[in-house]
Amino acid sequence: MRHPAFRLSEALLACGLTRERLLDEVTRAGEMGSDVIDLGLCEGWIHEETLLREVAARLDLAFLEEPPPVGAGVSLDESLRLRSYRAAGGSREGLRVLAPNGALIRALAEGRMIAPSGRVALVTRQGLCDALIAFHGADLARKAASTLPPRFSARRPEAMRTRMRGTFVPMLLASFLALIGLVIAFPALFTILVPTLLAPLLIGGAMTTVISALASREPLPLPPALAEAKLPAYTILVPLYREAGMIDTLVTHLDRLDYPRDRLEILLLIEADDAETRDALRARRADLPGSILILEVPPGEPRTKPRALNAGLPFATGKLLVVYDAEDAPDPDQLKRAAAAFAVAHPLVTCLQARLAVVNAYDSPLSCRFAVDYAALFDTVKAGAARLGWPVPLGGTSNHFRTEALRRVGAWDAWNLTEDADLGIRLARLGHRVEDLPSTTWEELPATLRPWMNQRTRWMKGWMQTLMVQARMPRDLLGELGPFRLLAISLTGLSVVLGALGLPLCLLSLGLRLYMGSPFMEGPSLILLSDMLVLVSLAAALLLETVPPLLALSRRRSLHLAPALLLAPVIYILISVAAWRALFELAHHPFLWRKTPHGLIKRAGGLGSLQAGDAQKQSASRPVIMAEKTSLPA
């Protein structure tokens, strides 16, 4: 007969719990289908270090505040799976370092797992991860930058980058001089060529967007919520860089998520040289929930958000995974909605894209226009593209994934500045599907010109990278997407980039056409054709500027924001400036990531029935089930 090594209930009571509280928590854990120890550790009413010291004392083991170095030949994946590693030689020769969860602690208490004194030491999970990152850092950094084969990555050899830097300016200057010569020598030809070449692309892109918006209709009915005991483990990745001022807000927003804490893992990813954010997190360490781990991303290149996500992905243990940014305030029930949707979705549905909305719409005309654009993009265009089965360029946050499928497709391209859009297209190419998740995440977006321009430049540069990557093997692209899906995503991407770059040419062409003095829709056939294309382009632009935004704003009962649509001419000019700036950066600084500052909100709110303030005030209630007492754990 196997006897317990010690009474687990005594160790739990020694952590400061009363017998009545422990009985209540055991009952609640049973109702939730949870392990009471994991629940207590993650909710914070059991302090991990205190419990491990009690367990170590009862088993005559050591508890180490500072984990020893990892021994040679230790596998990262195996260490994370087993929650242990073999220490390096010297005084720690042969020592097995263990960061036990509830199941392992119970196995130790019941004698089902033998831990010989002097040969096993206990550490916290944070300590285990810190030690593994210190040992595997170089390998983690290398793998985080190279998760994809060359055909799917925006990475370019240094020799190619040097060659581009040396030839870009001369080529651009020659093109500019040729353009000036064409305008001077053949102004009529110029006014014909520009509409003939650009208008079909812009019209096609606008019509593709409008069709997507119309296809969105009303959201599909949500699947029934899963019973709490059936909710899967969920990992949240939060990349942070220079976000010390956002830590309190971030923790508050994450704490409002309504999800069982023992199945919620939050990985905060900080760069190795970001001392300010690291110090802010350490100052809050004692107050952070046990479900939060702080992972230091090993130094390496490129310094991008997707590289940080790739470095954190090996530590994710959840069946499902979502990415949030520091300023994000997701609906409290968003994880439960996503889990329910995945439970009934086709196995090839790998990603659910939640809807992003702007929390600071009233801060400035720029942020108001941003709010309208985001409503149109996420509530109608992306939702409709998913409904039609088209490739969906993902948004930068609130992407919910099946974790193993994400690993199989190579995760994120560390070298792409719109890694989200790139991943969405790659998922479609590899046979996976993206669907819409009708749940909102509130974001703060730039309200002043400089950060707005930096952010838009980064997006434009990333779209240029994505288009170049996807066009490397056109035959493969056609075979993987098929003609209709390829046409849809090509029109979308090319109209975004070439439309912005070509705006100065369009304005110059239109100016010359008006200067020439001849009436519209009169003259030779080529003039008639170009005039017709100009008029159709203007009509398509008008549809693009009205149908998706007004459809989205009406659904959110926020038509009071519609006057922001009148900013379209100014916004288009600014986007064109950002596109040309991005083109120069692509040649000289292709992987430069311009950080967007956060924490500058002046006035929250803006989208009617889903007010940002209301979303932030909602709190995820953690039920305390006062049920019939049950027996204590042994």
Side-chain angles (χ1 to χ4, degrees):
M1 180 176 178
R2 191 174 286 161
H3 295 283
F6 66 90
R7 288 185 62 83
L8 181 56
S9 59
E10 294 177 357
L12 293 173
L13 292 171
C15 292
L17 296 173
T18 65
R19 182 173 293 273
E20 183 179 10
R21 169 73 185 276
L22 182 55
L23 287 169
D24 287 340
E25 296 297 353
V26 168
T27 300
R28 183 164 72 93
E31 294 283 345
M32 296 171 61
S34 301
D35 184 293
V36 68
I37 300 174
D38 288 334
L39 189 64
L41 291 172
C42 293
E43 289 188 349
W45 45 269
I46 297 177
H47 188 259
E48 184 181 18
E49 184 174 327
T50 302
L51 176 60
L52 294 184
R53 287 184 184 277
E54 290 292 334
V55 172
R58 283 166 168 74
L59 293 175
D60 194 24
L61 302 177
F63 171 78
L64 304 177
E65 292 185 10
E66 295 292 331
V70 178
V74 171
S75 162
L76 175 63
D77 292 341
E78 181 178 312
S79 298
L80 291 172
R81 180 169 54 83
L82 299 177
R83 299 175 68 102
S84 73
Y85 66 85
R86 187 184 67 257
S91 61
R92 306 288 190 183
E93 181 70 38
L95 183 68
R96 172 62 61 174
V97 179
L98 176 66
N101 58 4
L104 291 176
I105 290 174
R106 200 177 300 280
L108 289 170
E110 295 173 358
R112 292 182 289 107
M113 180 177 178
I114 305 301
S117 178
R119 295 180 59 186
V120 175
L122 304 186
V123 298
T124 64
R125 189 182 175 205
Q126 179 69 63
L128 177 84
C129 292
D130 290 345
L132 291 174
I133 290 174
F135 180 76
H136 292 283
D139 192 47
L140 267 173
R142 179 183 60 80
K143 290 181 178 178
S146 56
T147 59
L148 296 173
R151 81 179 187 115
F152 279 132
S153 177
R155 182 175 187 173
R156 297 197 303 264
E158 183 60 35
M160 183 183 297
R161 278 184 265 165
T162 303
R163 190 161 57 248
M164 280 192 66
R165 285 193 292 266
T167 60
F168 178 76
V169 173
M171 288 177 59
L172 189 63
L173 180 60
S175 300
F176 179 73
L177 292 176
L179 177 64
I180 294 297
L182 178 62
V183 172
I184 293 174
F186 307 101
L189 179 60
F190 179 79
T191 63
I192 294 172
L193 282 178
V194 171
T196 303
L197 295 176
L198 284 180
L201 180 63
L202 301 180
I203 295 168
M207 290 300 97
T208 299
T209 302
V210 171
I211 291 170
S212 297
L214 294 175
S216 65
R217 301 188 298 277
E218 290 300 321
L220 294 172
L222 289 173
L226 295 177
E228 199 159 47
K230 294 184 178 180
L231 290 171
Y234 226 117
T235 296
I236 299 175
L237 295 182
V238 187
L240 302 172
Y241 185 59
R242 296 179 182 173
E243 298 284 10
M246 293 296 297
I247 298 303
D248 290 345
T249 301
L250 170 66
V251 173
T252 300
H253 291 164
L254 293 175
D255 192 52
R256 289 186 177 125
L257 290 171
D258 181 14
Y259 207 80
R261 288 311 191 257
D262 62 309
R263 276 158 277 174
L264 185 61
E265 171 187 67
I266 302 170
L267 306 182
L268 305 183
L269 311 174
I270 63 172
E271 295 289 343
D273 63 350
D274 188 4
E276 185 180 4
T277 304
R278 182 170 57 249
D279 292 344
L281 284 169
R282 285 178 176 172
R284 286 287 310 267
R285 180 69 254 187
D287 302 326
L288 293 179
S291 55
I292 291 182
L293 289 175
I294 302 168
L295 303 184
E296 188 172 292
V297 177
E301 294 296 331
R303 294 293 300 275
T304 59
K305 172 184 172 180
R307 187 186 82 95
L309 293 173
N310 286 338
L313 185 57
F315 294 85
T317 61
K319 181 180 179 181
L320 304 178
L321 177 147
V322 64
V323 177
Y324 289 134
D325 286 340
E327 78 281 12
D328 284 358
D331 284 344
D333 64 347
Q334 188 173 114
L335 301 186
K336 284 186 173 180
R337 285 193 181 194
F342 273 123
V344 299
H346 190 280
L348 289 178
V349 175
T350 297
C351 177
L352 300 175
Q353 171 67 69
R355 299 178 178 185
L356 306 185
V358 177
V359 73
N360 57 326
Y362 293 137
D363 275 4
S364 74
L366 274 179
S367 61
C368 185
R369 172 68 195 211
F370 234 140
V372 173
D373 289 343
Y374 257 38
L377 182 63
F378 287 95
D379 291 4
T380 66
V381 177
K382 290 185 184 293
R387 187 78 60 88
L388 292 168
W390 293 353
V392 181
L394 301 176
T397 178
S398 302
N399 319 126
H400 298 255
F401 298 97
R402 300 186 196 267
T403 307
E404 286 307 312
L406 177 63
R407 290 187 171 117
R408 287 197 301 271
V409 301
W412 297 273
D413 180 10
W415 302 87
N416 194 311
L417 302 190
T418 49
E419 79 292 340
D420 39 15
D422 171 78
L423 177 55
I425 298 172
R426 184 166 12 106
L427 286 173
R429 293 185 63 173
L430 297 177
H432 297 260
R433 286 163 47 191
V434 175
E435 289 190 357
D436 170 50
L437 179 65
S439 175
T440 299
T441 296
W442 299 91
E443 283 201 315
E444 174 193 357
L445 288 176
T448 55
L449 183 58
R450 183 173 181 179
W452 185 98
M453 184 63 69
N454 285 341
Q455 187 181 67
R456 190 69 67 157
T457 299
R458 188 179 79 237
W459 290 353
M460 277 294 178
K461 185 164 54 171
W463 263 107
M464 293 173 189
Q465 291 176 318
T466 299
L467 290 174
M468 289 190 295
V469 168
Q470 302 303 326
R472 281 177 183 165
M473 298 183 178
R475 183 176 297 178
D476 290 351
L477 187 63
L478 176 61
E480 291 160 350
L481 292 181
F484 295 108
R485 296 201 302 162
L486 175 58
L487 179 63
I489 193 61
S490 298
L491 288 173
T492 300
L494 290 173
S495 63
V496 167
V497 173
L498 296 184
L501 292 174
L503 181 61
L505 299 180
C506 294
L507 294 178
L508 178 59
S509 171
L510 184 59
L512 283 175
R513 181 69 182 88
L514 295 174
Y515 178 76
M516 289 166 60
S518 58
F520 263 76
M521 302 304 294
E522 291 186 13
S525 57
L526 287 178
I527 293 289
L528 287 174
L529 175 62
S530 65
D531 287 350
M532 184 180 299
L533 288 172
V534 168
L535 293 176
V536 176
S537 296
L538 292 174
L542 183 62
L543 286 175
L544 178 65
E545 276 295 304
T546 54
V547 173
L550 293 179
L551 189 59
L553 293 178
S554 66
R555 289 177 184 172
R556 287 190 179 254
R557 299 195 290 276
S558 300
L559 287 171
H560 59 280
L561 296 180
L565 296 175
L566 299 176
L567 292 173
V570 176
I571 295 297
Y572 283 176
I573 291 172
L574 292 176
I575 290 175
S576 182
V577 173
W580 280 98
R581 187 182 181 206
L583 187 62
F584 275 94
E585 283 193 4
L586 188 63
H588 294 275
H589 305 288
F591 311 116
L592 174 64
W593 188 285
R594 296 186 184 273
K595 178 76 175 64
T596 302
H598 299 127
L600 305 176
I601 295 176
K602 298 176 184 176
R603 183 183 174 194
L607 290 179
S609 62
L610 295 177
Q611 285 286 345
D614 295 338
Q616 291 182 5
K617 290 175 186 175
Q618 293 182 57
S619 176
S621 59
R622 298 181 189 172
V624 179
I625 301 174
M626 303 301 293
E628 194 175 317
K629 302 282 192 294
T630 60
S631 59
L632 290 170

